[in-house]
Each structure stands twice: as structure tokens, then as C-alpha cells.
Amino acid sequence: MLLAIDIGGTKIAAAWVENGQVIERRQQPMATDPVGFMEVIGQLVLGWPAPEQVAVAATGYINDGKVHSVNQEIIAFWDGFPLADRLTERFACPLILMNDGQAAAWGEYQARQTTVSQNSPDNLLFITLSTGVGGGLVLDRQLRIGPHGLAGHVGHTTVSCQPTDDDLRCGCGRQSCLEKIASGTALGRQASAMFGRTMSSAELFSLALTDPRAEAIIDNAAKAVAEAISNLHMTLDLSEIVIGGSVGLADGMLHRIRLALANAPNLMQVPVSAAMLGPDAGLIGIMQLATNVENSVENSVENS
Ligand code: ADP
Ligand code: ZN
């Protein structure tokens, strides 16, 4: 039995996998402290057989089996938390651990290799618009992780678009990060400031159907994503951009990003598609990496 886990800023998903097939998938809210976190892990696997292997995709950058939030406001205890050690102690079996955006990029890249109707891209950028904004890069058919585990952290590249509430300061220490405009957290924050009451990103999307002010917040976020895509395309020369995460997959978001990108010069046009694996890109990606650790991965943390 392979246990695949995807840890985000809002939720943790887990899958019981046998011979590459998901037997059962479960989801729980993400915890706010290490003790609560291990309890949630326990609840997720309740009644499942002991795993022979654990595959973990986690938000944050990973170094030496420890996780660090780039934006400390998202998971405060992700400050060098020894995730690989904690899970190895808990499950006593080999474990692989990777950033969630990187795992998702690999999942989406693989999904495009097996879909005959598509030209499989050699250079793919995955962007997740979720609690934060993350991502992953496959370049020349190789998943990039980087010497600091940072490859694909596009949420902390800056954009010239400004958040509608003018709150520029990002929890990573910079100003004007993409994450500050286009994450679910940022959309909820901008909506709350605009409408004078606490609003979630999902509520904002519903309101945008009837209220142009709500629509403007989402459009501005889409413009910021398109700006980041143009920047990254001119840096890396990409074949395809894949958008995932609950915000990225929310109704109309992909369309808005495409419209915004269409205003960029021709050279900066690059196909943008939705995650074929939907919200499970990270979960499926890490599951594939665990079952098929080819030499396509530059390096990943492996504890055994
Ligand atoms: P995680 O960050 O844990 O991987 P998600 O990809 O689900 O999880 O992203 C969570 C973020 O997406 C939260 O900020 C939440 O408010 C927002 N969100 C969840 N559902 C929706 C929706 N249907 N439409 C827009 N935003 C959503
Ligand atoms: Zn930042």
C-alpha cells in the first residue's frame, strides 16, 4: 500500500493507493500547529492498512526533509518543521517528500504524455492559485527542484498590478508579490476590504456574477497572473502553462487569465490550460513520483 498525502495551506488530502490505483481519497482541514497536524494525519489514515511507502507533496519549500513557508503567514509552524522525520516516525517506511507545486507540475506533465490528443509539452509551468500562489516547472522534460527547493515558487515573483486594497506587503518579506493579489487569501482580503465584511474567495466569485466591483477584483488578479506568465515565458520559453488550485479552477478564472494574456505582445502568447488532474494534481503527481522514480527528477528528498 502506498499512502499519498498532499498538504496545502487550507486542506490535507490523502489517498490509499494500490498498484497505481486510488482505492480511497480523504480530505481534512489543515492544522495550525504540529500536534494538531499529526492528529489530522492520524484521522486521515484511520482504518487504512499500514503503508509500505509514503509520498508527500507539501506546500512550502523543502530542504533536508524540513518544510519552510515562504510566506510565514500561511502555515506559521512550517518554519523548518521536520516533516520527513515526523512522518517516518509515524509510518516507519520509506518516504518521499516534495513541494506540492513541483509534484503537481510532474503530474500534469505526465498526464499530457499519455493523452494522445495533445502535443506533449517539454517545458511546462504549473501555477496553483490556492491558499497561496505556488507552482512547479518541468524544463526539457526534467522536473526542476533547485538547490534550495525553490524552483517554481512563482507566487513570490513581483508584478506591477496592484491589489485593490493597496496592501502590498507580502509575508515573504517583499512587496507586490503575485500571491498578494491572486491567492484565495488575497482575494478574500481584497473582497473583505471592498465590501466591508468578511468575505471568502468563493463568495467573491459568486458575487462577481452580479457585481462589477467583485468582478474587477478577480479581473485584476487574472491580469497579475497573466503578467507573471509573460515574465516567466520570456525567461524560460515555455510550451504550456497549467493552472490549478481552487481559485485557478474556479468558474471563469482560466478564461479571465487567457483574456488578460491576449493583451500581451504576440511573442508572449503561450497556451494556458486547466489542470487535467483537477484539484488532485499534487496528490497524483507525488504518487507517480513515488511509484516511478525515474531519472527525470533532478533531486528529491528520499528517506528510507
Ligand atoms: P490548498 O491551498 O490547501 O492546497 P485549495 O487549492 O483548495 O487548497 O485553495 C484554498 C483557497 O481557495 C482558499 O483561499 C479558499 O478560500 C479558496 N477557494 C476554495 N474554494 C473556492 C472556490 N470554489 N472559488 C474560489 N475560491 C475558492
Ligand atoms: Zn511574497
Side-chain angles (χ1 to χ4, degrees):
M1 184 268 199
L2 165 75
L3 171 63
I5 307 176
D6 184 3
I7 309 169
T10 301
K11 61 174 202 286
I12 312 183
W16 164 8
V17 183
E18 299 281 1
N19 303 318
Q21 298 298 313
V22 175
I23 307 291
E24 191 181 346
R25 180 197 184 281
R26 292 178 181 167
Q27 191 172 306
Q28 290 276 346
M30 177 52 174
T32 51
D33 62 82
V35 173
F37 172 73
M38 291 310 294
E39 281 171 9
V40 174
I41 294 289
Q43 287 159 17
L44 282 165
V45 301
L46 209 64
W48 286 0
E52 287 135 18
Q53 197 182 2
V54 179
V56 188
T59 185
Y61 68 94
I62 293 151
N63 237 322
D64 231 2
K66 298 184 177 65
V67 274
H68 306 257
S69 287
V70 178
N71 178 351
Q72 283 296 334
E73 289 164 11
I74 290 197
I75 305 177
F77 74 96
W78 248 213
D79 55 356
F81 179 69
L83 183 60
D85 284 351
R86 286 295 102 83
L87 293 176
T88 304
E89 283 157 24
R90 173 70 175 73
F91 294 107
C93 68
L95 173 140
I96 76 161
L97 168 62
M98 186 182 284
N99 168 266
D100 57 348
Q102 294 166 350
W106 188 247
E108 290 295 324
Y109 169 75
Q110 288 290 348
R112 281 160 181 75
Q113 303 308 302
T114 48
T115 309
V116 281
S117 59
Q118 302 226 4
N119 287 333
S120 55
D122 289 348
N123 296 282
L124 178 149
L125 168 66
F126 175 80
I127 302 179
T128 177
L129 306 175
S130 41
T131 313
V133 174
L137 272 170
V138 175
L139 295 177
D140 299 329
R141 300 190 291 273
Q142 296 252 326
L143 177 63
R144 301 292 306 177
I145 291 170
H148 310 97
L150 290 175
H153 277 86
V154 297
H156 302 282
T157 57
T158 59
V159 286
S160 63
C161 296
Q162 300 229 342
T164 55
D165 60 356
D166 292 327
D167 181 359
L168 296 174
R169 188 199 54 80
C170 179
C172 74
R174 289 186 103 180
Q175 304 247 330
S176 306
C177 286
L178 174 62
E179 178 162 306
K180 202 63 195 187
I181 303 184
S183 65
T185 310
L187 289 174
R189 189 198 72 242
Q190 293 168 90
S192 304
M194 170 119 19
F195 295 99
R197 63 181 175 92
T198 305
M199 265 179 79
S200 70
S201 157
E203 279 177 85
L204 177 69
F205 273 83
S206 304
L207 192 60
L209 299 172
T210 53
D211 190 323
R213 292 171 303 161
E215 197 179 349
I217 298 177
I218 302 174
D219 269 345
N220 187 51
K223 280 194 188 103
V225 175
E227 186 183 345
I229 289 173
S230 292
N231 288 340
L232 289 155
H233 183 47
M234 294 314 287
T235 311
L236 299 163
D237 194 357
L238 298 160
S239 7
E240 186 164 345
I241 313 293
V242 179
I243 306 287
S246 286
V247 173
L249 298 171
D251 240 6
M253 192 60 185
L254 178 66
H255 179 64
R256 289 170 203 268
I257 294 169
R258 284 177 174 156
L259 281 182
L261 188 62
N263 289 323
N266 277 347
L267 207 55
M268 292 165 204
Q269 303 299 324
V270 54
V272 185
S273 58
M276 290 172 71
L277 304 172
D280 283 338
L283 199 62
I284 307 272
I286 198 67
M287 171 183 126
Q288 288 173 340
L289 282 157
T291 47
N292 192 10
V293 185
E294 293 169 46
N295 40 7
S296 29
V297 182
E298 171 202 359
N299 74 64
S300 70
V301 176
E302 287 188 50
N303 278 19
S304 50

